[in-house]
């Protein structure tokens, strides 16, 4: 598992030596946001930054930890 950049992915090789990435089960749990939720997270983050509790308060059923994990996963390669 590569933790050098905060990634939750593990690199592995396929039988033809192509490298694939596997996201651990914790990360997969948080990846599934609706398009409306994603849009709201991005707009709120632009306004208030990394204030995950405030952002989560605007999205029913989401916790600050879920929002932060979503953000980290979306921005891990940038």
């Amino acid at each position: 598992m590569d933790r050098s950049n905060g990634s939750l992915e593990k690199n592995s090789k396929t039988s033809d030596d192509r490298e694939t990435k596997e996201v651990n089960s914790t990360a997969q749990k948080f990846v599934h946001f609706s398009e409306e939720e994603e849009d709201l997270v991005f707009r709120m983050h632009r306004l208030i930054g990394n204030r995950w509790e405030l952002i989560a308060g605007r999205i029913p059923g989401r916790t600050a930890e879920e929002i932060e994990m979503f953000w980290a996963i979306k921005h891990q390669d940038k």
Side-chain angles (χ1 to χ4, degrees):
M1 186 177 301
D2 178 18
R3 292 197 182 270
S4 60
N5 64 359
S7 175
L8 297 173
E9 295 179 345
K10 180 174 80 173
N11 293 331
S12 61
K13 297 266 184 179
T14 61
S15 59
D16 60 354
D17 286 333
R18 287 181 297 142
E19 193 170 283
T20 62
K21 292 186 177 185
E22 301 169 17
V23 179
N24 72 22
S25 60
T26 304
Q28 285 178 340
K29 176 179 159 185
F30 300 111
V31 172
H32 304 291
F33 275 58
S34 71
E35 201 171 304
E36 292 83 15
E37 288 175 319
E38 287 190 28
D39 182 54
L40 185 55
V41 169
F42 283 103
R43 287 188 293 124
M44 290 290 295
H45 186 271
R46 195 174 323 128
L47 290 171
I48 63 174
N50 295 344
R51 299 177 70 188
W52 309 120
E53 297 261 342
L54 289 176
I55 296 171
R58 294 292 195 177
I59 305 174
R62 295 292 185 181
T63 66
E65 291 79 21
E66 287 175 317
I67 304 294
E68 185 174 6
M69 182 68 70
F70 164 78
W71 187 262
I73 290 168
K74 285 291 189 177
H75 290 89
Q76 67 188 0
D77 292 332
K78 293 182 180 180

